[in-house]
Amino acid sequence: MSEEALPPSMPPAVLLPYQQRWIADASPFKVAEKGRRTGLTWAEAADDVLIAAADRAAGGQNVYYVGQDKDMTEEFIDACAMWARNFNHAASSIEQGIWEEDADEGDKNKNILTFSIRFPRSGFRITALASRPRKLRGRQGVLVGDEAAFQDDLPALIKAALAFLIWGGKVRLISTHFGVDNAFNELVSEIRAGRQKGSIHRITFRRAVEEGLYKRVCLRLGKVWTREEELAWVQGIYDVYRSNADEELDCVPSQSSGAYFSRSLVEARMDETLPVLRLSLPQGFELRPEEERISTVNDWLVQNIKPLLDALPPNSRSYYGMDFARSGDLSVIVPLVENSFLRKQAPFILEMRNVPFEQQRQVLFYVVDGLPNFSAGANDARGNGQYLAEVAAQKYGTEYIHQVMLTQDWYRDNMPRYKSAFEEAEITLPRDDGVLNDHRAVQNVKGVPKVPDTGHTKDLKDGGKRHGDAAIAGALAWFASLNGASPIEYTSTGQPRGADAQGFM
């Protein structure tokens, strides 16, 4: 029920939906990239009071909050005191204390001011201090790093934070962004790429408003909410931040433009013995008799694709990704075959130009039917590609086929994982200038790695247009290989099956 639909006697929920999701996430290590003044620290204080007030058997622990400065630590500890009163938890008044730096650390400021609240019944406390990651070593409990991107020594804080996890502690890092090369953004990228365990919450200012932030402001100020005033308020906030709004409000780290894949990285994962096959049909081919169209394409498949499929190791597990185009750009199919070391190779890449819808279906089905132990596929389901994604799901089952809408969120979550496959030498593609140029066409567009709408290049083989097609198909194939056995947000339905076959050597 929305807040505007609540009867007068029913107050709104204390926490907004994105605050509730943050608290409900029980991950040992969670990170929030957020817009300014969205109230996430306030919600974190509520969770921390519940943790520190609980006894050990119920998961109680000490909580250490590291703010950027004294004002932040005071604001946080005041919020904790407020929550303790509202939760009716017995707690001490706020206590000020001093942590002394060790003499051999060479820090001129030997004293660190701390603020603490003790919970006598549980024996735990909440301690808030300005950034001094060295003082966290050897401590245990829950560590909260606020405005992490602005900490004086974030890498040291992250090191100290990860040590908390060893003995059952928890870590929460919360921050707006502060540049693409900042350690906070690098950590977010590592988690998205799957190289670092953890969960990410992305809370843009607009998302917070959609979930009730301005209504909460009105409630606090005693104002009547209207849609018109909300729109004007939001525009006023963006006008204040102006050119910094992307980073300060929309979770887009600054200076995040340029090629996403370096040439050297892609070339290092290419093998010149792997072929790229191109099926290019003349204009008007779609008007020829059906039998002629089927026969012509089948002859091409038998001559060019069948020998490659027959040579695949029969015990390997296989996947595919397909980027669809009917005219102008290419349709590209990237099969991936997994070896016994869990590395994946594209035994070939198949590119199609000006191939009719029905013949693209014919080609896709021929390839998938010939793949050993087919485990999952991912189709670009935008526009006309939705037809081919749908018929593939009908033939092979929705549990096998991911019908992917290539949204901003999909690119943000999955391109880093695909890039990580190159960085970790987990993927091999054919050495081909078109495939290379497609990967080089991926750009950071306002913090999202994707092929921009204007990112067309010329195909050196036939002079036609390319639009990052092989890179998108490769990313879809990698996506299918990672998600072949679990349901995910971007698919139509179901859990893609997993083959029981052994990998090949």
Side-chain angles (χ1 to χ4, degrees):
M1 182 180 292
S2 63
E3 289 190 8
E4 54 263 44
L6 292 169
S9 59
M10 185 182 297
V14 175
L15 296 173
L16 297 174
Y18 61 90
Q19 295 169 324
Q20 295 175 28
R21 289 193 297 272
W22 173 256
I23 290 179
D25 183 357
S27 302
F29 185 28
K30 60 184 181 183
V31 177
E33 50 175 353
K34 67 177 187 68
R36 291 283 185 193
R37 307 305 293 178
T38 48
L40 197 64
T41 302
W42 187 73
E44 175 64 31
D47 195 26
D48 295 334
V49 167
L50 294 175
I51 291 171
D55 59 33
R56 191 176 300 276
Q61 300 187 72
N62 288 321
V63 176
Y64 299 94
Y65 170 89
V66 182
Q68 184 188 358
D69 52 38
K70 178 176 176 288
D71 289 341
M72 286 184 65
T73 59
E74 286 188 284
E75 184 177 345
F76 174 79
I77 211 72
D78 286 342
C80 291
M82 181 277 296
W83 282 115
R85 289 191 297 271
N86 282 275
F87 290 147
N88 199 27
H89 285 310
S92 68
S93 59
I94 297 174
E95 303 170 355
Q96 290 191 28
I98 294 291
W99 282 4
E100 293 185 359
E101 290 281 17
D102 297 333
D104 60 354
E105 288 180 341
D107 197 313
K108 294 181 180 178
N109 181 9
K110 298 295 187 295
N111 297 328
I112 303 170
L113 181 63
T114 66
F115 300 90
S116 298
I117 298 177
R118 291 184 295 108
F119 295 84
R121 291 177 184 171
S122 68
F124 297 115
R125 67 171 60 204
I126 298 173
T127 300
L129 65 150
S131 177
R132 280 294 192 279
R134 290 189 298 267
K135 298 304 296 183
L136 298 169
R137 292 186 177 277
R139 300 181 188 274
Q140 195 51 245
V142 175
L143 175 61
V144 181
D146 202 359
E147 288 299 356
F150 298 85
Q151 296 285 342
D152 293 336
D153 191 354
L154 180 56
L157 178 61
I158 293 173
K159 273 187 179 182
L162 296 179
F164 271 59
L165 302 176
I166 297 173
W167 290 96
K170 295 183 178 182
V171 176
R172 285 84 177 85
L173 296 181
I174 301 168
S175 191
T176 49
H177 277 287
F178 188 41
V180 68
D181 296 323
N182 184 273
F184 178 74
N185 183 56
E186 292 174 356
L187 174 65
V188 169
S189 300
E190 289 284 301
I191 295 174
R192 284 208 170 100
R195 292 190 291 267
Q196 169 67 56
K197 289 185 178 180
S199 67
I200 295 177
H201 293 243
R202 189 170 186 270
I203 307 162
T204 65
F205 187 80
R206 292 189 189 277
R207 177 68 176 271
V209 172
E210 289 171 4
E211 297 194 4
L213 179 62
Y214 182 66
K215 292 186 179 74
R216 192 54 47 86
V217 171
C218 290
L219 186 65
R220 183 175 180 181
L221 298 178
K223 294 177 58 176
V224 176
W225 174 88
T226 67
R227 179 63 173 163
E228 292 74 18
E229 289 193 6
E230 178 178 280
L231 292 174
W233 180 76
V234 170
Q235 187 58 54
I237 298 295
Y238 276 82
D239 288 345
V240 168
Y241 279 98
R242 301 174 65 187
S243 61
N244 295 317
D246 282 349
E247 182 165 73
E248 296 289 326
L249 302 176
D250 294 335
C251 305
V252 178
S254 60
Q255 301 176 354
S256 53
S257 61
Y260 189 63
F261 290 91
S262 69
R263 182 185 186 96
S264 60
L265 177 62
V266 179
E267 287 187 338
R269 306 297 170 239
M270 288 181 152
D271 185 337
E272 61 188 11
T273 67
L274 303 175
V276 174
L277 288 305
R278 294 178 171 87
L279 174 60
S280 182
L281 297 175
Q283 294 295 326
F285 182 85
E286 70 278 6
L287 301 178
R288 295 183 185 180
E290 180 181 13
E291 289 185 2
E292 179 184 348
R293 287 186 278 112
I294 293 173
S295 176
T296 298
V297 171
N298 186 69
D299 288 346
W300 185 90
L301 290 168
V302 170
Q303 179 178 352
N304 295 279
I305 301 299
K306 187 176 186 300
L308 300 174
L309 292 172
D310 290 344
L312 295 178
N315 293 327
S316 59
R317 185 179 283 114
S318 60
Y319 312 88
Y320 81 83
M322 181 176 182
D323 183 40
F324 180 88
R326 173 59 184 89
S327 59
D329 300 332
L330 294 166
S331 276
V332 178
I333 299 174
V334 175
L336 288 179
V337 177
E338 186 176 79
N339 67 17
S340 59
F341 300 102
L342 304 183
R343 294 186 176 91
K344 301 175 183 74
Q345 181 183 87
F348 60 88
I349 289 178
L350 198 164
E351 299 182 349
M352 293 178 279
R353 191 180 296 282
N354 194 40
V355 175
F357 292 104
E358 289 302 313
Q359 273 51 69
Q360 291 203 37
R361 180 177 72 165
Q362 179 184 353
V363 170
L364 177 63
F365 288 0
Y366 189 94
V367 170
V368 177
D369 287 345
L371 290 175
N373 301 300
F374 171 61
S375 298
N379 281 72
D380 164 19
R382 298 167 301 170
N384 291 331
Q386 189 170 12
Y387 160 74
L388 195 53
E390 183 176 275
V391 296
Q394 290 169 348
K395 177 175 174 63
Y396 299 105
T398 55
E399 69 273 20
Y400 285 68
I401 305 298
H402 296 288
Q403 301 175 62
V404 178
M405 293 293 180
L406 295 170
T407 63
Q408 293 279 95
D409 285 344
W410 189 90
Y411 281 117
R412 180 182 294 109
D413 289 343
N414 291 284
M415 269 298 178
R417 297 187 179 106
Y418 185 48
K419 184 179 181 181
S420 177
F422 287 79
E423 293 170 339
E424 302 297 326
E426 294 176 342
I427 192 170
T428 306
L429 300 177
R431 183 174 294 276
D432 177 85
D433 56 4
V435 174
L436 172 63
N437 290 336
D438 281 354
H439 284 79
R440 294 283 289 153
V442 179
Q443 303 282 315
N444 265 312
V445 181
K446 290 190 173 182
V448 178
K450 57 179 288 188
V451 180
D453 294 338
T454 58
H456 286 88
T457 58
K458 184 177 181 180
D459 193 319
L460 299 181
K461 300 294 190 302
D462 61 12
K465 290 191 300 182
R466 304 184 72 99
H467 192 217
D469 312 296
I472 296 172
L476 286 165
W478 191 256
F479 172 83
S481 75
L482 295 181
N483 296 284
S486 61
I488 38 179
E489 179 181 355
Y490 313 100
T491 63
S492 53
T493 63
Q495 295 184 353
R497 72 179 177 182
D500 294 326
Q502 301 289 320
F504 64 90
M505 295 300 291

Coordinates of all heavy atoms in Angstrom, one line a residue, residues 245-281:
A245 N 26.0 16.4 -10.3 CA 24.9 15.6 -9.9 C 25.0 14.1 -10.2 O 24.6 13.3 -9.5 CB 23.6 16.2 -10.6
D246 N 25.7 13.8 -11.3 CA 25.9 12.4 -11.7 C 26.6 11.7 -10.5 O 26.1 10.6 -10.2 CB 26.8 12.3 -12.9 CG 26.0 12.6 -14.2 OD1 24.7 12.7 -14.1 OD2 26.6 12.7 -15.3
E247 N 27.6 12.2 -10.0 CA 28.4 11.5 -8.9 C 27.7 11.7 -7.6 O 27.6 10.7 -6.8 CB 29.8 12.1 -8.9 CG 30.7 11.4 -7.8 CD 32.1 11.7 -8.0 OE1 32.6 12.8 -7.8 OE2 32.9 10.8 -8.5
E248 N 27.3 12.9 -7.2 CA 26.8 13.1 -5.9 C 25.4 12.6 -5.7 O 25.0 12.2 -4.6 CB 26.7 14.7 -5.6 CG 28.1 15.3 -5.6 CD 28.9 15.0 -4.4 OE1 28.3 14.8 -3.3 OE2 30.1 14.8 -4.5
L249 N 24.6 12.5 -6.8 CA 23.2 12.0 -6.6 C 22.9 10.7 -7.3 O 22.0 9.9 -6.8 CB 22.2 13.1 -7.1 CG 22.4 14.5 -6.5 CD1 21.4 15.5 -7.2 CD2 22.0 14.4 -5.0
D250 N 23.5 10.4 -8.4 CA 23.1 9.3 -9.3 C 24.1 8.1 -9.3 O 24.0 7.3 -10.1 CB 22.9 9.8 -10.7 CG 21.8 10.7 -10.9 OD1 20.8 10.7 -10.0 OD2 21.8 11.6 -11.8
C251 N 25.0 8.1 -8.3 CA 26.0 7.0 -8.1 C 26.8 6.7 -9.4 O 27.2 5.6 -9.7 CB 25.2 5.7 -7.8 SG 24.1 5.9 -6.4
V252 N 27.2 7.8 -10.1 CA 28.1 7.6 -11.2 C 29.4 8.3 -10.9 O 29.5 9.5 -10.8 CB 27.5 8.3 -12.5 CG1 28.5 8.2 -13.7 CG2 26.2 7.7 -12.8
P253 N 30.5 7.5 -10.7 CA 31.8 8.0 -10.4 C 32.3 8.9 -11.5 O 32.1 8.7 -12.7 CB 32.7 6.8 -10.2 CG 32.0 5.7 -10.9 CD 30.5 6.0 -10.8
S254 N 32.9 10.0 -11.1 CA 33.4 11.0 -12.1 C 34.5 10.5 -12.9 O 35.2 9.6 -12.6 CB 33.8 12.3 -11.4 OG 34.8 12.1 -10.5
Q255 N 34.7 11.1 -14.1 CA 35.8 10.8 -15.0 C 35.7 9.4 -15.5 O 36.7 8.7 -15.8 CB 37.2 11.0 -14.4 CG 37.4 12.5 -14.0 CD 38.7 12.7 -13.3 OE1 39.4 11.7 -13.0 NE2 39.0 13.9 -12.9
S256 N 34.4 8.8 -15.6 CA 34.3 7.5 -16.0 C 33.9 7.3 -17.4 O 32.8 7.0 -17.8 CB 33.2 6.8 -15.1 OG 32.0 7.5 -15.1
S257 N 34.8 7.7 -18.3 CA 34.5 7.6 -19.7 C 35.8 7.0 -20.4 O 36.8 6.9 -19.8 CB 34.3 9.0 -20.3 OG 35.4 9.8 -20.1
G258 N 35.6 6.5 -21.6 CA 36.7 5.9 -22.3 C 36.5 4.4 -22.6 O 35.5 3.8 -22.1
A259 N 37.4 3.8 -23.3 CA 37.2 2.4 -23.7 C 37.3 1.5 -22.4 O 38.1 1.7 -21.5 CB 38.4 2.0 -24.6
Y260 N 36.4 0.5 -22.4 CA 36.3 -0.4 -21.2 C 37.2 -1.5 -21.3 O 37.8 -1.9 -20.3 CB 34.8 -0.9 -21.1 CG 34.5 -1.6 -19.9 CD1 34.5 -1.0 -18.6 CD2 34.1 -3.0 -19.9 CE1 34.2 -1.7 -17.5 CE2 33.8 -3.7 -18.8 CZ 33.8 -3.0 -17.6 OH 33.5 -3.7 -16.4
F261 N 37.4 -2.1 -22.5 CA 38.4 -3.1 -22.7 C 39.6 -2.6 -23.4 O 39.5 -1.9 -24.5 CB 37.8 -4.2 -23.6 CG 36.7 -5.1 -23.0 CD1 35.4 -4.7 -23.2 CD2 37.0 -6.2 -22.3 CE1 34.4 -5.5 -22.6 CE2 36.0 -7.0 -21.8 CZ 34.7 -6.6 -21.9
S262 N 40.8 -2.8 -22.8 CA 42.0 -2.4 -23.5 C 42.3 -3.3 -24.6 O 41.9 -4.5 -24.6 CB 43.2 -2.3 -22.5 OG 43.6 -3.6 -22.1
R263 N 43.0 -2.8 -25.6 CA 43.3 -3.7 -26.8 C 44.2 -4.9 -26.3 O 44.0 -6.0 -26.7 CB 44.1 -2.9 -27.8 CG 44.5 -3.6 -29.1 CD 45.3 -2.8 -30.1 NE 45.5 -3.5 -31.3 CZ 44.8 -3.4 -32.4 NH1 43.8 -2.6 -32.4 NH2 45.0 -4.1 -33.5
S264 N 45.2 -4.6 -25.5 CA 46.1 -5.6 -25.0 C 45.4 -6.7 -24.3 O 45.7 -7.9 -24.4 CB 47.2 -5.0 -24.2 OG 46.7 -4.4 -23.0
L265 N 44.4 -6.3 -23.5 CA 43.6 -7.3 -22.7 C 42.9 -8.3 -23.6 O 42.9 -9.5 -23.4 CB 42.7 -6.6 -21.7 CG 41.8 -7.5 -20.9 CD1 42.6 -8.4 -20.0 CD2 40.8 -6.7 -20.1
V266 N 42.2 -7.7 -24.6 CA 41.4 -8.6 -25.5 C 42.3 -9.5 -26.3 O 42.1 -10.7 -26.5 CB 40.5 -7.7 -26.4 CG1 39.7 -8.6 -27.3 CG2 39.5 -6.9 -25.5
E267 N 43.4 -8.9 -26.9 CA 44.3 -9.7 -27.7 C 44.9 -10.8 -27.0 O 45.2 -11.9 -27.5 CB 45.3 -8.7 -28.3 CG 44.8 -7.8 -29.4 CD 45.9 -7.1 -30.1 OE1 47.0 -6.9 -29.5 OE2 45.7 -6.6 -31.3
A268 N 45.2 -10.6 -25.7 CA 45.8 -11.6 -24.9 C 44.9 -12.8 -24.7 O 45.4 -13.9 -24.4 CB 46.2 -11.1 -23.5
R269 N 43.6 -12.7 -25.0 CA 42.7 -13.8 -24.8 C 42.1 -14.3 -26.2 O 41.0 -14.8 -26.2 CB 41.5 -13.4 -23.9 CG 41.9 -12.8 -22.6 CD 42.7 -13.9 -21.7 NE 43.2 -13.2 -20.5 CZ 44.5 -13.2 -20.2 NH1 45.4 -13.8 -21.1 NH2 45.0 -12.6 -19.2
M270 N 42.9 -14.1 -27.2 CA 42.5 -14.5 -28.5 C 43.4 -15.6 -29.1 O 44.6 -15.6 -28.8 CB 42.5 -13.3 -29.5 CG 41.3 -12.3 -29.3 SD 41.4 -10.9 -30.4 CE 39.6 -10.5 -30.5
D271 N 42.8 -16.5 -29.9 CA 43.6 -17.6 -30.5 C 43.4 -17.6 -32.0 O 42.2 -17.7 -32.4 CB 43.1 -18.9 -29.8 CG 43.9 -20.1 -30.3 OD1 44.5 -20.0 -31.4 OD2 43.8 -21.1 -29.6
E272 N 44.5 -17.4 -32.7 CA 44.3 -17.3 -34.2 C 43.9 -18.6 -34.8 O 43.5 -18.6 -36.0 CB 45.7 -16.9 -34.8 CG 46.8 -17.8 -34.5 CD 48.1 -17.3 -35.0 OE1 48.2 -16.1 -35.3 OE2 49.1 -18.0 -35.0
T273 N 43.9 -19.8 -34.1 CA 43.4 -21.0 -34.7 C 41.9 -21.2 -34.7 O 41.4 -22.1 -35.3 CB 44.1 -22.2 -34.0 OG1 43.6 -22.3 -32.7 CG2 45.6 -22.1 -34.0
L274 N 41.2 -20.3 -33.9 CA 39.8 -20.4 -33.8 C 39.2 -19.5 -34.9 O 39.5 -18.3 -35.1 CB 39.3 -19.9 -32.4 CG 39.9 -20.6 -31.3 CD1 39.5 -20.0 -29.9 CD2 39.5 -22.1 -31.3
P275 N 38.2 -20.0 -35.7 CA 37.7 -19.3 -36.8 C 36.5 -18.4 -36.5 O 35.8 -18.6 -35.5 CB 37.2 -20.4 -37.8 CG 36.8 -21.5 -36.8 CD 37.7 -21.4 -35.6
V276 N 36.2 -17.4 -37.3 CA 35.0 -16.6 -37.3 C 34.3 -16.9 -38.7 O 34.9 -16.7 -39.7 CB 35.3 -15.1 -37.2 CG1 34.0 -14.3 -37.4 CG2 35.9 -14.8 -35.8
L277 N 33.1 -17.5 -38.6 CA 32.4 -17.8 -39.8 C 31.3 -16.7 -40.1 O 30.7 -16.2 -39.2 CB 31.6 -19.1 -39.6 CG 32.4 -20.4 -39.6 CD1 33.3 -20.6 -40.9 CD2 33.3 -20.6 -38.4
R278 N 31.2 -16.3 -41.4 CA 30.3 -15.3 -41.8 C 29.3 -15.7 -42.8 O 29.7 -16.2 -43.9 CB 31.1 -14.0 -42.3 CG 31.9 -13.4 -41.2 CD 32.7 -12.2 -41.8 NE 33.4 -11.5 -40.7 CZ 34.6 -11.8 -40.2 NH1 35.2 -12.8 -40.7 NH2 35.1 -11.0 -39.2
L279 N 28.0 -15.6 -42.5 CA 27.0 -15.9 -43.4 C 26.3 -14.6 -43.8 O 25.6 -14.0 -43.0 CB 25.9 -16.9 -42.7 CG 24.7 -17.1 -43.6 CD1 25.0 -17.8 -44.9 CD2 23.7 -18.0 -42.8
S280 N 26.5 -14.2 -45.1 CA 26.0 -13.0 -45.6 C 25.2 -13.3 -46.8 O 25.6 -13.9 -47.8 CB 27.2 -12.0 -46.0 OG 26.7 -10.8 -46.4
L281 N 23.9 -12.9 -46.8 CA 23.0 -13.2 -47.8 C 22.6 -12.0 -48.6 O 22.6 -10.9 -48.1 CB 21.7 -13.9 -47.2 CG 22.0 -15.2 -46.5 CD1 20.7 -15.7 -45.9 CD2 22.6 -16.2 -47.5

